[in-house]
Amino acid sequence: MLAFVVRRLLQAVIVMLAVAFISFMLFQHVGDPVTHLLGQDATPEQRTQLRADLGLDRAVPLQFARFVRNAVRGDFGLSLRQGRKVSTLIAERLPATLELAITAAVLALGIGVPMGVIVALRRGSVLSQLLMTVSLLGVSLPTFLIGILLILVFSVGLHWLPSFGRGEVLSIGGWTSGWFTVSGWQHLVLPSITLAVFQLALIMRLVRAEMLEVLRSDYIRFARARGLSDRAVHFGHALKNTLVPVITITGLQLGSLIAFAIITETVFQWPGMGLLFIQAVSFADVPVMAAYLCLVALIFVAINLAVDLLYFVVDPRLRPDREVAHG
């Protein structure tokens, strides 16, 4: 287990260095930060002094080493558009994005897994056909179109829910959350559903396919031959072995929810990192773009490591002690 964790950590370091290099190259090829910070009217002396302060007068390898060292400390410099520290901007926007992504993930798992089980166990029924049709729509429709349709129905037509913003939030130790206010939940419903629809449909279809495959396996037939009830067979044996690939997809999709919440945040003007990134791209705000790329890569790496470790919890066959015992 220790060797496995060390190997995964080394791979994570390599991935993060590669992402850091890509982010660093943005500074080299997307505009001149000195011009952005000082403007066109700056004197040559001012430009030279700022270049020295930013380390831009050094060799490229030294600049990259400085960039990595600062990135490890969470220091990505100043936003070229707002003139504030990038780390401060990210810290302000991160709670909103995590709140949206976690809510969407809970919806996708809480609804997708039971729906997948129902569709697998009731093949050919009207309910199964209806759920498969709904899942096909969820996979096929673009996220922005789902968001616009929800706004049209529930905000414009029925006036039940707000169409933009985050609502009232509470600050707990510097962390803001709308989970503890009525207004926060009202603003969270539509964007979280929009973000969850694709993941929900994907998880449902995956659970269905894996469940059907597991139900055809030999050990399920042996469990039935022992006289176990359908409930014990379906939920004690089949569903448990279905969860391994589901964990993989869910882990990767959670990272995707955070990374690709950009569209949902733009449609609903949700004040998260995705909206900040879109604004940064519009103004070529390279420090914010670089920080976003590095943070998303770190989230993906951390989630992948957690998913790999969960394999040993869910599937006992993967545990090293069992390999030794069988050896």
Side-chain angles (χ1 to χ4, degrees):
M1 175 69 77
L2 180 60
F4 171 81
V5 173
V6 171
R7 186 167 63 251
R8 282 288 186 266
L9 288 175
L10 289 176
Q11 293 173 354
V13 170
I14 294 173
V15 170
M16 290 305 302
L17 285 175
V19 174
F21 180 74
I22 295 173
S23 302
F24 171 75
M25 294 307 294
L26 289 174
F27 285 93
Q28 303 296 315
H29 298 288
V30 183
D32 183 8
V34 173
T35 301
H36 282 289
L37 290 173
L38 294 180
Q40 298 289 342
D41 298 330
T43 64
E45 292 77 13
Q46 291 175 327
R47 298 172 64 86
T48 301
Q49 181 61 45
L50 183 56
R51 281 190 171 278
D53 294 339
L54 296 177
L56 299 178
D57 57 342
R58 303 179 183 179
V60 173
L62 293 178
Q63 290 185 43
F64 179 63
R66 175 191 174 99
F67 176 82
V68 171
R69 185 174 66 251
N70 291 338
V72 170
R73 298 200 302 257
D75 181 10
F76 288 89
L78 297 176
S79 167
L80 303 182
R81 183 172 72 94
Q82 301 188 37
R84 301 172 59 196
K85 293 188 66 173
V86 175
S87 57
T88 302
L89 294 176
I90 294 292
E92 290 175 353
R93 301 296 188 99
L94 181 60
T97 295
L98 289 181
E99 183 176 85
L100 177 61
I102 292 172
T103 305
V106 171
L107 283 175
L109 275 175
I111 300 175
V113 173
M115 285 175 60
V117 173
I118 292 173
V119 171
L121 297 180
R122 299 185 180 180
R123 284 177 294 171
S125 66
V126 176
L127 178 60
S128 175
Q129 296 299 323
L130 178 62
L131 291 179
M132 288 301 294
T133 302
V134 171
S135 72
L136 184 60
L137 289 174
V139 172
S140 304
L141 291 177
T143 301
F144 74 89
L145 181 58
I146 295 173
I148 292 173
L149 290 175
L150 289 177
I151 291 174
L152 183 63
V153 173
F154 294 100
S155 297
V156 178
L158 300 175
H159 303 286
W160 286 358
L161 297 168
S163 61
F164 66 93
R166 194 181 177 194
E168 184 183 355
V169 298
L170 290 182
S171 181
I172 305 173
W175 187 270
T176 59
S177 176
W179 282 334
F180 307 103
T181 66
V182 175
S183 174
W185 276 108
Q186 289 174 339
H187 285 79
L188 184 59
V189 170
L190 293 185
S192 61
I193 292 176
T194 301
L195 192 58
V197 166
F198 177 82
Q199 317 301 333
L200 186 154
L202 183 66
I203 290 174
M204 191 201 85
R205 298 177 77 88
L206 175 65
V207 170
R208 173 187 176 273
E210 291 296 327
M211 193 80 170
L212 291 175
E213 183 69 25
V214 169
L215 289 174
R216 290 193 291 263
S217 60
D218 292 336
Y219 74 89
I220 292 296
R221 286 194 287 268
F222 178 71
R224 293 187 187 279
R226 289 170 53 199
L228 295 179
S229 65
D230 287 343
R231 182 183 182 88
V233 171
H234 294 159
F235 299 100
H237 292 75
L239 182 58
K240 183 177 180 181
N241 287 277
T242 300
L243 290 180
V244 174
V246 173
I247 287 176
T248 305
I249 296 299
T250 302
L252 295 176
Q253 291 305 313
L254 179 58
S256 300
L257 286 174
I258 297 173
F260 304 120
I262 296 175
I263 297 175
T264 302
E265 292 186 3
T266 302
V267 170
F268 291 93
Q269 288 299 292
W270 186 262
M273 293 193 304
L275 185 60
L276 178 66
F277 179 75
I278 289 294
Q279 294 169 345
V281 171
S282 302
F283 287 88
D285 196 346
V286 180
V288 173
M289 294 162 60
Y292 181 83
L293 291 175
C294 289
L295 181 59
V296 167
L298 179 61
I299 290 173
F300 266 105
V301 166
I303 290 176
N304 283 339
L305 180 59
V307 167
D308 288 338
L309 294 178
L310 279 176
Y311 283 158
F312 293 91
V313 177
V314 176
D315 194 344
R317 295 171 298 178
L318 300 177
R319 297 175 188 170
D321 56 342
R322 287 186 61 89
E323 295 177 2
V324 173
H326 281 84

